[in-house]
Amino acid sequence: MIRIALCDDDATFLCNLHQEIERWYKLNATDEVIAITEFISSSYLSQSLHEGRSFDLFLLDIEMPNIDGLSLANQVRELMPTAIIIFLTSHTKFAPEGYKSRALRYVYKLNWKEQLPEALSAARAEFLRMENESLAIFHYNDALRIPYKEIIYVRHVLRHTQIATENDQIIKDGRGLKEIHCLLDDPRFIFIERSTFINVDHLRQIKGNEVILRNGLHLPISRQMLAKVKETVNRLWMG
């Protein structure tokens, strides 16, 4: 199921947007189930996110009272780094700021019905890409696939490599740390010291010589790698 959040302070537009999205999915993605939630208040959506609600796709109006769409997008990135964001706006001047939040598309309200199908198509392609990105794990008689987006960090402990996932699992793998890093071949995975690399999508903050992950875990950064880690994270977050 794809969970979609719509946020706009215009109730009529919100209703029309909801209907158009449902229509598009019925015509173009009949094999997918969607659940759409409307938020006429950005403050209410913000509160819902901090209470633990999560969504896969956000369509956010930029110009809203209390919390604007750009600020709301920053909260989304903090809590759900892999979620897809599409901005709704009447002005092109917001585009440079919006892309800092890694928005997938801008949909301009003057001709939103013409632009929306391409934006939804791009979002669906991104969902499919993320689903296809997974690491195959073989340990003794067990075999499974872990989506990249679920991997929080990987580290070498004693004779095994441990893969920590967002559902609080620690999965052991007999391959070396560098081999797994090469298999992932994704810039999101960065070494913070010789025996550990993390998924930047799960990074909340760099504080001193530690990374603080979204699950609250603190992991040390080696002194030799601290400057490179900061540089890489800044580039990825701004990218």
Side-chain angles (χ1 to χ4, degrees), residues 69-205:
L70 295 170
S71 300
L72 199 55
N74 290 334
Q75 295 182 29
V76 170
R77 280 285 161 258
E78 175 76 16
L79 298 167
M80 278 156 278
T82 60
I84 293 173
I85 296 172
I86 295 172
F87 279 127
L88 307 163
T89 183
S90 302
H91 303 285
T92 59
K93 65 181 181 180
F94 294 111
E97 289 299 316
Y99 283 115
K100 291 180 182 178
S101 303
R102 289 182 283 137
L104 181 69
R105 288 292 187 275
Y106 264 79
V107 170
Y108 296 100
K109 287 188 170 182
L110 290 175
N111 58 341
W112 68 273
K113 286 189 178 181
E114 290 76 19
Q115 293 190 5
L116 183 65
E118 191 280 332
L120 293 176
S121 180
R124 184 168 187 256
E126 186 67 10
F127 284 131
L128 292 173
R129 182 190 67 79
M130 287 191 289
E131 287 301 319
N132 290 331
E133 286 184 332
S134 61
L135 177 68
I137 301 294
F138 303 96
H139 186 69
Y140 296 111
N141 295 323
D142 298 327
L144 69 154
R145 285 190 172 273
I146 308 173
Y148 284 10
K149 65 181 182 179
E150 294 182 8
I151 298 173
I152 300 175
Y153 67 85
V154 182
R155 64 183 172 187
H156 189 74
V157 179
L158 298 176
R159 297 182 180 181
H160 296 285
T161 298
Q162 295 183 346
I163 301 168
T165 67
E166 60 184 11
N167 58 355
D168 297 324
Q169 280 188 306
I170 300 291
I171 300 165
K172 292 182 179 180
D173 191 283
R175 293 169 292 190
L177 194 67
K178 289 186 178 179
E179 182 181 354
I180 290 178
H181 190 263
C182 288
L183 286 171
L184 291 168
D185 190 27
D186 190 300
R188 288 173 292 179
F189 295 98
I190 64 169
F191 276 92
I192 58 171
E193 46 116 358
R194 290 179 59 186
S195 63
T196 307
F197 64 82
I198 65 168
N199 182 348
V200 172
D201 284 345
H202 290 274
L203 175 63
R204 174 175 293 166
Q205 181 183 4

